[in-house]
């Protein structure tokens, strides 16, 4: 039970990051972080904090890839008005 | 007696007659395809038939490039080509140069004319094409909301990169309304910026069924879209004008979904690799830092930091002793002299003079003690100053001021004090206040030779 609460806390704190950082930017930053680390130009302190950031980015990217659920909507136009409706994937999956 | 021919001679004779008949060398025949086959060689074989007769048709692979439709059994076509005899079987057959679906001749002409016109306008130029986004946030599908195409695309998009939202703009993909609806759908997405890439397409069908995607309305809508367009019409072999004008052409709707999205599985693998690379880099970094620390910590100046001062301390002790000895010697000499004087006085002078002399003596003794006191204080001050000076000589303090110690890397880390100790190309270590630099000597310049010596 306690574990679940912790998980939930982490989820809310990291979901902020996840929603604010587009996947592409997170991945680009991760690539930069790896490059910086591999350049060997960082001091040990900087390397450690950069590594921490990198691992966080890996976590964010992975979570977003693995937890993403496809969102599908249908858009039609009626007299210049956009009409958005849910597109039921299940119906055509059978 | 009539001449008897061999079978081969007969076949040759028939072949000569057929190939010398102009009407049979450039002929168009209408019929329905049956027994269609396309072996490994790429040549096409089928039987062209109508209600009353049939003829074998061959199309060599070199000619098939011009085909704009996928041939299937049951398809009505017009075959243009020549008649010849296949000697091995003695059968005459048709060698096709062109095959077009029957009944769409008018559509074909329209297609060709429109293609020429749009090409002349530069609509198919590579320079007009937009790049597709690497990580699309939203993908729009302009297609029929029912059928295999939309299902295939959703499945592929969801499998590869479910982060991408999908917007379906339902349109009719064949029939009278199709081209208008498709063009409007494209404009709707572009005008309202509904996605960052769109797929315009449908599943397979006949030339007529796919024709909406070759209509001027659709082609112009794609050309003027501000959002990149992937065309995905029918099968690999179906080519529409949408394919020419689109930013990318996909062979099938599934192929379009793959073109539009990054491969999520590959991305996960990429993340895995990034994680491994970062961890091994940082681990190495820590190991190196620790090794460096070990190396520095084991150096004598840190292991026994006071050792460097031992010599100086000895000198200070010695000086102190000398000071003490000198002063004390002089005082005791003075005291001895005073004692002598006192003795002489006591022997030769009246007591009151002795008493007076004694007072004088006490006074002198007191002055001597004060002088000694001042001398010792001055001496202590000098020692304190000497200590401060020693502090300046502390090798660590020197490094702190920005100097570096040059050490050889081959001769037991010997400290380099002269250019004579190194050769160009030698590796040296510069020991700085907070670490070391690995360096290589590029040149050795003698100050005397260059006249720079002070």
């Amino acid at each position: 039970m306690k574990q679940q609460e912790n998980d939930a806390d982490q989820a809310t704190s990291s979901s902020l990051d996840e929603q604010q950082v587009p996947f592409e930017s997170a991945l680009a930053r991760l690539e930069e972080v790896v490059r910086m680390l591999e350049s060997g130009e960082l001091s040990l302190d900087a390397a450690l904090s950069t590594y921490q950031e990198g691992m966080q980015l890996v976590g964010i990217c992975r979570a977003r890839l693995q937890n993403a659920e496809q969102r599908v909507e249908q858009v039609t136009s009626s007299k210049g008005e956009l009409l958005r409706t849910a597109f039921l994937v299940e119906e055509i999956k059978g | 007696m009539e001449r008897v021919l061999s079978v081969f001679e007969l076949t040759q004779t028939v072949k000569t007659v057929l190939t010398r008949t102009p009407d049979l060398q450039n002929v168009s025949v209408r019929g329905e395809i049956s027994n269609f086959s396309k072996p490994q060689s790429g040549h096409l074989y089928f039987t062209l038939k109508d209600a009353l007769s049939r003829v074998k048709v061959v199309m060599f692979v070199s000619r098939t490039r011009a085909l704009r439709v996928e041939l299937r059994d049951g398809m009505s076509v017009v075959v243009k080509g020549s008649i010849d005899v296949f000697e091995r079987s003695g059968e005459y057959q048709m060698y096709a140069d062109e095959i077009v679906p029957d009944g769409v001749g008018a559509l074909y002409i329209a297609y060709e004319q429109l293609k020429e016109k749009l090409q002349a306008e530069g609509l198919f130029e590579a320079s007009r094409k937009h790049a597709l986004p690497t990580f699309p946030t939203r993908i729009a599908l302009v297609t029929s909301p029912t059928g295999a195409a939309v299902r295939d695309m959703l499945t592929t998009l969801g499998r590869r990169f479910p982060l991408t939202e999908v917007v379906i703009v339902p349109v009719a993909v064949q029939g009278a309304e199709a081209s208008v609806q498709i063009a409007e759908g494209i404009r709707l997405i572009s005008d309202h910026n509904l996605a960052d890439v769109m797929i315009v397409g449908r599943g397979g069908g006949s030339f007529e069924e796919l024709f909406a995607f070759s209509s001027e309305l659709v082609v112009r809508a794609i050309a003027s879209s501000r959002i990149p367009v992937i065309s995905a019409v029918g099968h690999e072999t179906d080519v529409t004008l949408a394919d020419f004008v689109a930013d990318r052409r996909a062979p099938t709707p599934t192929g379009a979904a793959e073109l539009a999205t990054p491969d999520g599985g590959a991305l996960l693998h990429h993340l895995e690799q990034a994680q491994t690379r970062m961890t091994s880099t940082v681990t190495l970094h820590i190991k190196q830092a620790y090794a460096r620390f070990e190396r520095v910590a084991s150096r004598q100046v840190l292991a026994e930091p006071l050792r460097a001062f031992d010599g100086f301390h000895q000198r200070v002790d010695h000086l102190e002793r000398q000071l003490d000895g000198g002063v004390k010697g002089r005082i005791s000499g003075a005291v001895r002299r005073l004692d002598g004087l006192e003795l002489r006085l006591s022997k030769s002078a009246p007591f009151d003079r002795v008493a007076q002399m004694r007072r004088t003596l006490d006074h002198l003794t007191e002055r001597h003690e004060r002088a000694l006191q001042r001398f010792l204080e001055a001496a202590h001050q000098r020692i304190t100053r000497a200590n401060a000076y020693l502090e300046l000589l502390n090798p660590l303090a020197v490094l702190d001021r920005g100097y570096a110690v040059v050490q050889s890397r081959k001769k037991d880390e010997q400290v380099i004090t002269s250019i004579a100790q190194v050769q160009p190309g030698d590796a040296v270590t510069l020991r700085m206040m907070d670490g070391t630099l690995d360096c290589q000597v590029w040149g050795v310049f003698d100050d005397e030779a260059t006249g720079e010596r002070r």
Side-chain angles (χ1 to χ4, degrees):
Chain A
M1 210 49 201
K2 193 137 204 162
Q3 185 61 42
Q4 276 180 350
E5 279 170 24
N6 284 345
D7 285 350
D9 282 349
Q10 276 172 0
T12 47
S13 66
S14 68
S15 69
L16 259 181
D17 295 345
E18 286 175 29
Q19 275 164 11
Q20 280 168 355
V21 184
F23 180 85
E24 187 173 5
S25 321
L27 195 68
R29 175 65 186 157
L30 175 61
E31 270 156 3
E32 193 186 345
V33 159
V34 173
R35 192 187 47 69
M36 276 161 64
L37 280 174
E38 289 186 337
S39 76
E41 286 161 5
L42 298 180
S43 69
L44 186 59
D45 279 351
L48 287 176
S49 60
T50 306
Y51 173 71
Q52 207 167 18
E53 185 192 350
M55 294 304 275
Q56 220 169 350
L57 288 167
V58 167
I60 289 173
C61 290
R62 184 181 287 146
R64 293 197 60 190
L65 269 181
Q66 289 177 336
N67 303 337
E69 284 205 17
Q70 190 178 37
R71 284 169 55 191
V72 184
E73 66 174 6
Q74 182 168 298
V75 176
T76 49
S77 158
S78 166
K79 294 168 196 162
E81 291 283 310
L82 283 189
L83 210 71
R84 293 171 188 267
T85 50
F87 187 82
L88 297 176
V89 190
E90 297 306 323
E91 276 181 20
I92 57 162
K93 265 198 175 158
Chain B
M1 178 132 181
E2 273 182 71
R3 184 166 173 248
V4 178
L5 300 176
S6 70
V7 175
F8 181 66
E9 285 169 329
L10 173 66
T11 304
Q12 286 295 309
T13 308
V14 173
K15 184 180 173 75
T16 308
V17 171
L18 291 184
T19 54
R20 286 186 184 168
T21 306
D23 280 354
L24 294 180
Q25 293 313 301
N26 190 6
V27 63
S28 292
V29 184
R30 171 178 292 127
E32 185 190 315
I33 294 173
S34 66
N35 295 324
F36 177 81
S37 81
K38 183 181 183 179
Q40 206 69 42
S41 62
H43 308 316
L44 307 181
Y45 302 93
F46 60 89
T47 301
L48 196 63
K49 65 171 188 183
D50 62 17
L52 301 173
S53 188
R54 53 187 60 208
V55 59
K56 285 192 175 171
V57 181
V58 183
M59 184 178 233
F60 291 125
V61 66
S62 57
R63 300 281 183 180
T64 57
R65 274 194 289 271
L67 274 183
R68 256 184 226 95
V69 288
E70 200 174 13
L71 302 183
R72 283 189 293 269
D73 280 343
M75 189 183 272
S76 290
V77 292
V78 173
V79 181
K80 195 176 161 193
S82 56
I83 309 298
D84 201 342
V85 175
F86 183 52
E87 291 165 7
R88 193 83 60 81
S89 64
E91 290 174 303
Y92 88 87
Q93 55 185 18
M94 188 164 184
Y95 294 84
D97 292 327
E98 279 177 49
I99 302 171
V100 295
D102 188 23
V104 293
L107 278 183
Y108 259 104
I109 292 165
Y111 175 98
E112 285 297 337
Q113 284 177 343
L114 182 59
K115 183 181 167 191
E116 226 165 272
K117 172 175 144 191
L118 298 175
Q119 194 148 30
E121 284 182 34
L123 250 54
F124 305 155
E125 296 289 321
S127 59
R128 287 184 53 97
K129 313 234 177 227
H130 305 97
L132 305 184
T134 317
F135 298 99
T137 311
R138 309 189 95 200
I139 291 182
L141 310 179
V142 182
T143 191
S144 163
T146 58
V150 73
R151 186 184 61 212
D152 289 351
M153 288 192 278
L154 284 175
T155 306
T156 305
L157 293 173
R159 172 174 53 79
R160 283 175 65 89
F161 200 65
L163 276 173
T164 304
E165 290 173 27
V166 184
V167 177
I168 293 172
V169 177
V171 294
V173 292
Q174 64 191 65
E177 278 291 291
S179 49
V180 175
Q181 288 191 15
I182 296 167
E184 274 177 2
I186 294 167
R187 268 196 297 274
L188 183 75
I189 294 160
S190 178
D191 290 350
H192 293 86
N193 204 22
L194 291 179
D196 34 35
V197 60
M198 71 174 97
I199 299 173
V200 177
R202 55 157 289 158
S206 68
F207 184 79
E208 300 100 306
E209 285 168 342
L210 304 185
F211 196 77
F213 291 89
S214 291
S215 69
E216 186 164 1
L217 268 178
V218 170
V219 172
R220 291 204 184 278
I222 293 174
S224 58
S225 169
R226 284 180 288 120
I227 289 164
V229 177
I230 302 174
S231 69
V233 185
H235 303 291
E236 173 81 57
T237 47
D238 298 321
V239 178
T240 63
L241 294 185
D243 293 327
F244 290 106
V245 75
D247 298 298
R248 289 294 289 275
R249 183 217 171 196
T252 59
T254 300
E258 283 170 356
L259 265 183
T261 46
D263 182 353
L267 280 171
L268 279 175
H269 182 64
H270 182 68
L271 290 175
E272 200 84 27
Q273 280 185 322
Q275 186 171 351
T276 310
R277 278 164 63 188
M278 286 193 299
T279 305
S280 61
T281 310
V282 163
T283 308
L284 183 69
H285 203 139
I286 292 172
K287 273 186 186 159
Q288 282 173 342
Y290 187 72
R292 220 170 80 193
F293 163 73
E294 288 267 87
R295 227 168 31 240
V296 173
S298 65
R299 299 200 75 78
Q300 200 180 41
V301 72
L302 286 181
E304 295 178 72
L306 296 180
R307 176 67 72 82
F309 299 93
D310 284 357
F312 294 107
H313 274 298
Q314 256 170 16
R315 269 182 63 197
V316 170
D317 287 346
H318 181 67
L319 282 172
E320 211 164 9
R321 270 199 306 278
Q322 272 190 332
L323 283 172
D324 279 2
V327 174
K328 279 177 183 155
R330 274 159 65 189
I331 290 171
S332 61
V335 169
R336 268 199 307 280
R337 271 177 63 206
L338 283 171
D339 285 350
L341 284 171
E342 188 179 6
L343 194 67
R344 280 163 63 196
L345 276 171
S346 64
K347 282 178 180 167
S348 61
F351 277 110
D352 56 341
R353 277 197 67 193
V354 170
Q356 199 189 351
M357 289 299 284
R358 186 172 292 282
R359 278 198 300 279
T360 307
L361 179 62
D362 286 347
H363 183 61
L364 282 171
T365 309
E366 195 190 312
R367 273 176 62 192
H368 262 292
E369 276 173 358
R370 274 209 301 273
L372 177 63
Q373 191 67 37
R374 277 200 303 275
F375 188 86
L376 284 176
E377 273 171 14
H380 273 295
Q381 267 171 15
R382 276 181 63 196
I383 290 165
T384 310
R385 273 202 301 278
N387 251 331
Y389 182 63
L390 287 179
E391 193 55 45
L392 287 180
L393 291 177
N394 176 348
L396 294 180
V398 172
L399 294 186
D400 213 3
R401 295 208 306 277
Y403 292 90
V405 179
V406 185
Q407 289 174 303
S408 167
R409 263 200 275 154
K410 41 180 188 182
K411 302 170 191 164
D412 301 331
E413 303 195 341
Q414 185 186 349
V415 172
I416 310 249
T417 54
S418 159
I419 55 170
Q421 286 170 266
V422 291
Q423 298 287 327
D426 278 0
V428 296
T429 304
L430 286 194
R431 184 164 300 284
M432 313 293 288
M433 191 255 299
D434 54 352
T436 56
L437 301 174
D438 281 343
C439 302
Q440 193 170 24
V441 176
W442 286 86
V444 173
F445 306 104
D446 190 337
D447 278 349
E448 255 173 312
T450 56
E452 282 176 11
R453 194 170 197 106
R454 282 166 291 176

